[in-house]
Amino acid sequence: MQDITTEIANRRTFAIISHPDAGKTTLTEKLLLYSGKLHTAGMVKGRKGRKAAASDWMAMEQERGISITSSAMQFDYKGVIVNVLDTPGHEDFSEDTYRTLTAADCAIMVIDASKGVEKQTRKLFEVCRLRQIPVLTFINKMDMPGRDPLELMNEVENVLQIQSYAMNWPIGSGRAFQGVVDRQENQVLFFSKTSIGGSQRAGIERQALDSPETKDRIGQELFAAIRTELELLEMAGNAFSQADFLAGKVTPVFFASALTNFGVEPFFDAFIHLAPPPHARSAIKTDGAEVLIDPSSPFSGYVFKLQANMDRRHRDSMAFIRICSGKFERDLVVKHQRLNKEIRLSRPHSMLAGERTTVDIAYAGDVIGVINPSIFAIGDTLSIRGGFSFKPLPQFQPEVFARISPKDVGKRKAFDKGCQQLLDEGAIQMLRSIGQDTDVVFAAVGQLQFEVMQYRLKDEYNVETSLNRLPYDCSAWIIGDLSTFSKTTNSLLLQDRQGRPIALFPSLWDKQYAIRQNPKHKLADILDAESSATNEHFTR
Ligand code: G4P
């Protein structure tokens, strides 16, 4: 028992959230570099591949046999086992991005210092808030001309409605960015340049903040300005406690440059110290009572992602399982709660430093991929003991909509069968007109989901499809009495598979107008399947 508790306490499972181009890939690479696992720059994901068109993306997936885009990587950082869950952005942004985040125990929010809090970051942050995932903030690209650090801290607070606490404070910015003040230690960390591209660790020299050497090195003027800012932070800034961080009330903020490695190592060191190990997760017993599953209890986990294997040689698909408690051993026999049957988890895989390997043993906090012979659905709970299911995964507002139909009407049956499979997997959402079944609209949070859908219908069901995009940009579930809901002119009112009303809007402006027109209704961006709990911050 002791070894399981120690193993679990030594794990940090997290996701990096950011708007495209803020530096998520670069920071992930640096984590690998500092853990001694990076062999070649750019091994995390081929940037070229990631930015390529969707068809190329699929060719890439085929080549590799299995997606690495939404799985997890595991490695050792200074004796701590780190699991990084990849939350795809860019063209491959999809519901999986959100769902993967629910499998994390903590998140690193990367913000570009010249841009501040951007749209995609805001959305992902809301999932963290909903799932009570603590967030660390990494203000990146300090080596470039950026915005004022105090202004960035204020923006985090105002836009995301969370207190911010500067763990360190930058000395200079742009080309003059030379180090940070470690506020806990009252020390200055001076960084020294490495080879271009930051493929080597940055040198770090520590000096007492108030030493004459520090003043000389920084220069009297800049030193005085930094001292004033630090005093301001002490007097007017927030306090920091680990308990408030874990409760999602405050985010510790770090200023750094992932590209040049300036501030990267102190950040990772602080991260493994602050980030929580796997915690107890709430589940619902078969009698409806809520129960907390402690990470040290016997094996349990849930499926957060399904991936159809696009490799023709192996026509299997994978289910990615976040282990919530206990120890997993190869060929473990577990109870599949939804199907109420015992299954053997054979041929488990994990991603170790970018390479797919077979796992013999894994612990709470880890992610394993198992072959899915069409028995797993998103959210399925597996456990040794049985008798409970983890909280259902929330649903997220779709933002792209289309009518999709078979080109050959004779293929209708195969089309319906394929759609059913994709809907069951959670690969796509389907909406219908209220009161009639005829008008079907497919919905997704990212364009790639449609492309994958069309590709898979052709590849697996031999159905060529035509797609007609609809002119809507966002949506919201309507909570409240539908008969008193005032539908705005440009919106389209539909219902989801569970019969819940959802309105589609051509723009955020139209959506906000509808919110104002319907003060008695709640327009929800995230729907928690269990409670219909919603989050209205999302639309800001
Ligand atoms: P993402 O995964 O969040 O989308 O961002 P990514 O790491 O790919 O970084 C986006 C761009 O920003 C890259 O440049 C990257 O080199 C650059 N970048 C990341 N961190 C920093 C930083 O700390 N300082 C500066 N100055 N730039 C940074 P690119 O030109 O798009 O790609 P590449 O040719 O460098 O690979």
Side-chain angles (χ1 to χ4, degrees):
M1 199 63 201
Q2 175 58 32
D3 75 319
I4 293 189
T5 320
T6 317
E7 285 286 352
I8 296 170
N10 199 34
R11 276 167 161 70
R12 303 288 181 272
T13 302
F14 69 100
I16 303 181
I17 59 172
S18 67
H19 193 79
D21 285 336
K24 187 177 71 168
T25 312
T26 310
L27 188 64
T28 312
E29 280 173 359
K30 295 314 165 79
L31 193 47
L32 285 165
L33 171 74
Y34 278 92
S35 63
K37 289 285 189 303
L38 190 73
H39 310 305
T40 47
M43 74 173 268
V44 174
K45 283 191 271 197
R47 285 218 179 93
K48 286 199 172 66
R50 190 195 56 188
K51 287 177 180 169
S55 53
D56 294 344
W57 174 84
M58 281 182 276
M60 191 172 82
E61 297 286 291
Q62 279 179 312
E63 234 170 69
R64 294 181 193 187
I66 189 73
S67 168
I68 63 159
T69 46
S70 216
S71 54
M73 277 191 298
Q74 184 181 75
F75 48 89
D76 178 309
Y77 179 80
K78 298 189 180 174
V80 174
I81 305 292
V82 174
N83 289 308
V84 193
L85 307 181
D86 192 15
T87 46
H90 291 265
E91 297 84 358
D92 43 4
F93 189 81
S94 69
E95 275 181 277
D96 281 336
T97 310
Y98 290 133
R99 288 186 199 127
T100 300
L101 195 46
T102 68
D105 294 323
C106 141
I108 295 174
M109 175 168 70
V110 179
I111 291 175
D112 182 329
S114 67
K115 303 212 171 116
V117 182
E118 295 174 89
K119 189 177 168 207
Q120 205 154 295
T121 313
R122 274 205 319 262
K123 292 182 181 181
L124 291 164
F125 181 87
E126 287 311 330
V127 181
C128 294
R129 192 200 303 278
L130 184 78
R131 302 297 279 201
Q132 284 153 354
I133 298 167
V135 177
L136 291 99
T137 302
F138 183 89
I139 304 220
N140 193 28
K141 306 199 187 181
M142 287 302 293
D143 59 302
M144 298 281 280
R147 284 165 51 188
D148 176 62
L150 279 173
E151 191 190 309
L152 286 164
M153 303 256 305
N154 278 337
E155 186 167 303
V156 167
E157 299 210 341
N158 296 334
V159 176
L160 303 177
Q161 297 288 297
I162 187 169
Q163 292 183 2
S164 63
Y165 179 89
M167 283 288 175
N168 66 22
W169 199 248
I171 301 170
S173 69
R175 289 162 75 96
F177 179 51
Q178 50 186 302
V180 293
V181 177
D182 177 336
R183 291 183 67 204
Q184 274 66 48
E185 302 292 329
N186 235 8
Q187 280 184 336
V188 172
L189 276 62
F190 287 108
F191 306 120
S192 53
K193 278 217 183 331
T194 56
S195 62
I196 294 165
S199 57
Q200 283 167 12
R201 295 159 176 243
I204 302 176
E205 246 181 275
R206 286 178 180 269
Q207 255 165 18
L209 173 61
D210 287 311
S211 71
E213 291 84 4
T214 302
K215 281 183 202 157
D216 275 357
R217 196 157 166 181
I218 298 177
Q220 295 293 340
E221 206 177 313
L222 183 56
F223 183 84
I226 288 168
R227 260 265 159 245
T228 310
E229 284 169 346
L230 288 172
E231 273 157 31
L232 195 71
L233 287 175
E234 283 307 325
M235 278 169 8
N238 303 304
F240 180 82
S241 78
Q242 178 76 0
D244 283 349
F245 160 61
L246 294 181
K249 291 184 185 153
V250 62
T251 178
V253 178
F254 299 81
F255 293 87
S257 159
L259 188 70
T260 61
N261 296 336
F262 281 22
V264 165
E265 190 174 7
F267 169 71
F268 290 148
D269 291 351
F271 166 76
I272 54 169
H273 175 70
L274 290 170
H279 52 81
R281 286 191 173 233
S282 111
I284 310 294
K285 290 204 289 186
T286 26
D287 64 5
E290 198 166 333
V291 60
L292 271 184
I293 307 296
D294 192 83
S296 59
S297 24
F299 173 87
S300 70
Y302 72 94
V303 177
F304 66 91
K305 175 185 159 66
L306 295 177
Q307 174 75 49
N309 194 340
M310 294 172 184
D311 183 350
R312 284 182 176 280
R313 286 164 301 175
H314 312 100
R315 293 198 56 94
D316 48 11
S317 74
M318 291 281 262
F320 289 94
I321 299 166
R322 151 76 202 226
I323 305 177
C324 297
S325 68
K327 181 178 180 179
F328 169 84
E329 280 170 284
R330 196 174 173 171
D331 289 327
L332 191 72
V333 175
V334 294
K335 181 119 190 238
H336 187 309
Q337 194 58 33
R338 182 176 54 86
L339 301 180
N340 194 21
K341 83 183 210 193
E342 302 229 306
I343 53 160
R344 182 183 299 275
L345 295 176
S346 46
R347 291 175 62 197
H349 291 101
S350 82
M351 296 297 294
L352 260 165
E355 279 157 36
R356 181 180 166 181
T357 52
T358 305
V359 213
D360 289 322
I361 292 176
Y363 295 91
D366 296 345
V367 167
I368 50 167
V370 293
I371 303 296
N372 177 21
S374 299
I375 56 168
F376 296 118
I378 295 285
D380 276 350
T381 296
L382 309 165
S383 67
I384 296 270
R385 284 189 179 153
F388 65 87
S389 295
F390 287 106
K391 212 173 153 186
L393 295 186
Q395 261 193 294
F396 306 95
Q397 65 146 331
E399 294 184 31
V400 281
F401 307 89
R403 290 200 171 87
I404 299 174
S405 51
K407 281 187 179 159
D408 174 355
V409 283
K411 293 267 171 79
R412 186 85 225 177
K413 227 171 157 183
F415 173 80
D416 287 346
K417 194 168 168 224
C419 289
Q420 191 60 44
Q421 172 64 25
L422 295 169
L423 290 164
D424 290 346
E425 282 182 22
I428 200 101
Q429 295 184 36
M430 189 182 72
L431 310 173
R432 288 177 190 279
S433 314
I434 293 175
Q436 51 159 309
D437 265 7
T438 45
D439 189 17
V440 170
V441 170
F442 289 96
V445 306
Q447 169 65 22
L448 183 81
Q449 285 179 253
F450 284 149
E451 289 170 35
V452 170
M453 176 183 178
Q454 286 192 288
Y455 179 89
R456 287 188 56 192
L457 284 171
K458 182 164 173 277
D459 189 54
E460 296 167 32
Y461 296 88
N462 198 21
V463 184
E464 294 258 16
T465 49
S466 52
L467 178 142
N468 182 11
R469 273 287 292 271
L470 301 179
Y472 302 102
D473 221 16
C474 53
S475 61
W477 280 277
I478 299 157
I479 318 272
D481 181 0
L482 198 60
S483 65
T484 59
F485 180 76
S486 123
K487 187 185 138 343
T488 46
T489 338
N490 294 332
S491 65
L492 179 65
L493 205 53
L494 298 170
Q495 61 181 332
D496 68 10
R497 276 175 103 200
Q498 285 79 25
R500 298 171 300 202
I502 181 167
L504 278 45
F505 304 98
S507 72
L508 198 55
W509 188 91
D510 290 274
K511 179 166 164 176
Q512 273 157 352
Y513 178 70
I515 292 172
R516 286 195 301 276
Q517 291 299 103
N518 291 282
K520 293 211 173 104
H521 294 76
K522 206 165 188 179
L523 272 76
D525 295 324
I526 308 178
L527 205 59
D528 207 321
E530 175 195 33
S531 60
S532 292
T534 59
N535 203 316
E536 61 272 38
H537 296 293
F538 213 71
T539 44
R540 265 203 311 270

